[in-house]
């Protein structure tokens, strides 16, 4: 498993299984999970994009409100590359997500309150 490789343990042992279970975000998915915004590069050489898909699918499967969770796959993006910071569409999606699930202080968009001019306040 990705967790066993990361932790350097044998998943076949009971100790290894326990550590891998504790390390997996899937262990902590629940019906009452806070809203999740996941962004992943589909060319990530370190963390397979399928890992984000598994987490997203698990969140949707057990969520009381599946619309609270969002997954964005960035085409041809690697792991934490500049592709993420250059994609203004991604900033827009993040801003909309934060606006939808958090009240920005004083109204307006979350991005406007955090130094980004993604869109204007309302």
């Amino acid at each position: 498993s990705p967790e066993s490789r990361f932790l350097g343990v044998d998943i076949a042992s009971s100790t290894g299984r326990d550590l891998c279970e504790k390390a997996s975000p899937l262990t902590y998915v629940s019906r009452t999970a806070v809203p999740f915004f996941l962004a992943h590069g589909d060319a990530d050489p370190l963390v397979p994009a399928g890992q984000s898909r598994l987490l997203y699918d698990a969140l949707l499967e057990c969520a009381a409100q599946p619309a609270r969770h969002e997954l964005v796959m960035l085409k041809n993006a690697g792991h934490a590359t500049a592709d993420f910071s250059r994609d203004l569409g991604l900033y827009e999606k993040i801003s909309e997500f934060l606006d939808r699930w958090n009240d920005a202080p004083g109204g307006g968009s979350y991005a406007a309150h955090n130094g980004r001019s993604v869109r204007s306040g309302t």
Side-chain angles (χ1 to χ4, degrees):
S1 75
E3 295 84 7
S4 65
R5 285 191 302 276
F6 177 74
L7 296 171
V9 297
D10 179 7
I11 197 167
S13 72
S14 63
T15 301
R17 270 192 310 277
D18 290 344
L19 286 173
C20 289
E21 186 175 315
K22 288 177 183 173
S24 173
L26 295 175
T27 300
Y28 305 100
V29 169
S30 73
R31 180 171 162 73
T32 58
V34 298
F36 271 72
F37 184 93
L38 304 165
H40 205 118
D42 68 359
D44 188 330
L46 298 178
V47 179
Q51 293 294 306
S52 284
R53 172 57 67 187
L54 285 172
L55 178 56
Y56 178 70
D57 289 345
L59 286 162
L60 292 183
E61 185 177 311
C62 79
Q65 294 177 303
R68 293 174 60 155
H69 309 299
E70 190 168 341
L71 171 63
V72 176
M73 290 297 227
L74 275 72
K75 189 146 184 72
N76 301 319
H79 187 84
T81 61
D83 299 311
F84 287 85
S85 61
R86 284 189 289 238
D87 188 332
L88 294 181
L90 178 61
Y91 280 113
E92 180 71 23
K93 289 176 183 178
I94 293 169
S95 178
E96 289 172 0
F97 180 85
L98 292 172
D99 285 346
R100 185 169 48 251
W101 299 110
N102 297 292
D103 289 328
S109 78
Y110 181 86
H113 288 282
N114 287 286
R116 293 234 183 248
S117 296
V118 175
R119 66 186 175 102
S120 61
T122 55

